[in-house]
Amino acid sequence: MEGRVAERLRGALGPFGFEVHAFKVGWYNAVLQPAFHLPYPDDTLAFVVLSTPSMFDKALKPFVKKERLKIIRDPVDQCVSHHLSGVKEKFPDQKVDIIFDYEILPSRKPKFLAQTAAHVAGAAYYYQRKDVKLDPWGRKKIYGVCIHPKYGGWFAIRGLLLFPDIQVPFLQQSAPADCVSTEEKRTELLEQFNFHWQDGRYRDIIEVKERYSEEQKAYFATPPAERFRLLGLTRLTE
């Protein structure tokens, strides 16, 4: 069952620069505190959705061109919402729940922990402080980061697709590719991500197959309020 669903999802989202990776809710819940658990049975089928570098040209720019008068919030969020919501039409007989990466709970916590989901689904390895044996940071707060085996840090985790009526007790878990395997490189990665993230060097910690175009880099380096202008949009004000 998982294979058929995955094939249909890839057919719907792949041409627009998205990747999908299957996981069981139980794999995700098993590594998190109860406050972050997804409220579904352990064997529930879920997919984490990533945007790859090609999403900018394949999905965002055509979406902006077509929907320019309807864009009232972050264009990328609205584009992702459009494509993921469109997936429901591909599954008329199934309930499909969607959680977007930008959604938060009343407590201000995110609705799901994106990097944990990517790791348990085998999509991208979530490198954390515990992955470095000789910790050089003392009392500093160190955040972890996911690295994709093909795109390095040039990708984003956009949401979850959950299928509450599909249980997959026999789904086998695949470990993510440990592509930053040396102690030295892991230390360098976390150092760059935590203290020099603006220059984006952490994204190239491995040799990547594809990265963001110069146009895309400029877009994401621009403060959100000014991104509308880069896309030729005028921000609507209430």
Side-chain angles (χ1 to χ4, degrees), residues 8 24 33 49 72 83 89 98 101 107-108 125 157 160 168 173 186 208:
R8 209 180 295 181
K24 288 202 294 189
Q33 298 294 326
V49 182
I72 54 170
H83 283 287
E89 295 167 17
I98 306 172
D101 68 300
S107 64
R108 309 299 296 168
Y125 200 108
I157 302 156
L160 299 184
V168 283
Q173 189 168 13
R186 289 178 180 185
V208 299

Side-chain angles (χ1 to χ4, degrees), residues 63-238:
F63 175 77
V64 165
K65 195 173 178 183
K66 185 164 178 271
E67 305 285 342
R68 55 189 312 116
L69 298 178
K70 297 179 191 166
I71 295 177
I72 54 170
R73 54 188 171 90
D74 182 88
V76 172
D77 288 350
Q78 207 165 328
C79 172
V80 170
S81 173
H82 168 79
H83 283 287
L84 297 200
S85 299
V87 160
K88 291 186 176 188
E89 295 167 17
K90 307 287 182 189
F91 298 91
D93 302 324
Q94 294 290 346
K95 183 170 168 31
V96 185
D97 291 342
I98 306 172
I99 308 175
F100 296 102
D101 68 300
Y102 52 81
E103 291 186 284
I104 54 171
L105 297 165
S107 64
R108 309 299 296 168
K109 285 190 173 79
K111 281 197 173 180
F112 78 102
L113 297 184
Q115 300 199 106
T116 300
H119 187 95
V120 300
Y125 200 108
Y126 183 24
Y127 291 98
Q128 301 175 73
R129 190 172 192 159
K130 64 183 174 61
D131 295 309
V132 174
K133 293 185 181 70
L134 298 170
D135 184 326
W137 298 293
R139 293 186 174 184
K140 289 178 184 170
K141 173 80 174 166
I142 299 295
Y143 293 95
V145 61
C146 273
I147 295 295
H148 189 287
K150 186 175 176 184
Y151 306 116
W154 301 102
F155 77 103
I157 302 156
R158 298 296 180 186
L160 299 184
L161 297 168
L162 297 118
F163 291 79
D165 300 329
I166 302 179
Q167 302 296 300
V168 283
F170 302 111
L171 187 63
Q172 294 295 306
Q173 189 168 13
S174 300
D178 180 7
C179 46
V180 187
S181 53
T182 69
E183 177 87 0
E184 186 184 2
K185 277 289 185 188
R186 289 178 180 185
T187 304
E188 183 186 338
L189 169 65
L190 294 178
E191 183 78 20
Q192 287 181 0
F193 179 69
N194 281 272
F195 305 113
H196 309 283
W197 62 269
Q198 294 97 329
D199 64 24
R201 281 182 300 149
Y202 79 89
R203 298 177 189 269
D204 286 311
I205 194 72
I206 62 168
E207 195 171 317
V208 299
K209 304 278 194 299
E210 194 181 342
R211 60 171 59 82
Y212 291 176
S213 63
E214 291 306 314
E215 181 187 13
Q216 190 172 180
K217 285 180 195 171
Y219 177 82
F220 286 114
T222 301
E226 294 167 32
R227 291 175 182 172
F228 277 68
R229 190 170 41 78
L230 286 185
L231 293 172
L233 296 169
T234 304
R235 181 138 204 183
L236 298 177
T237 52
E238 291 180 7

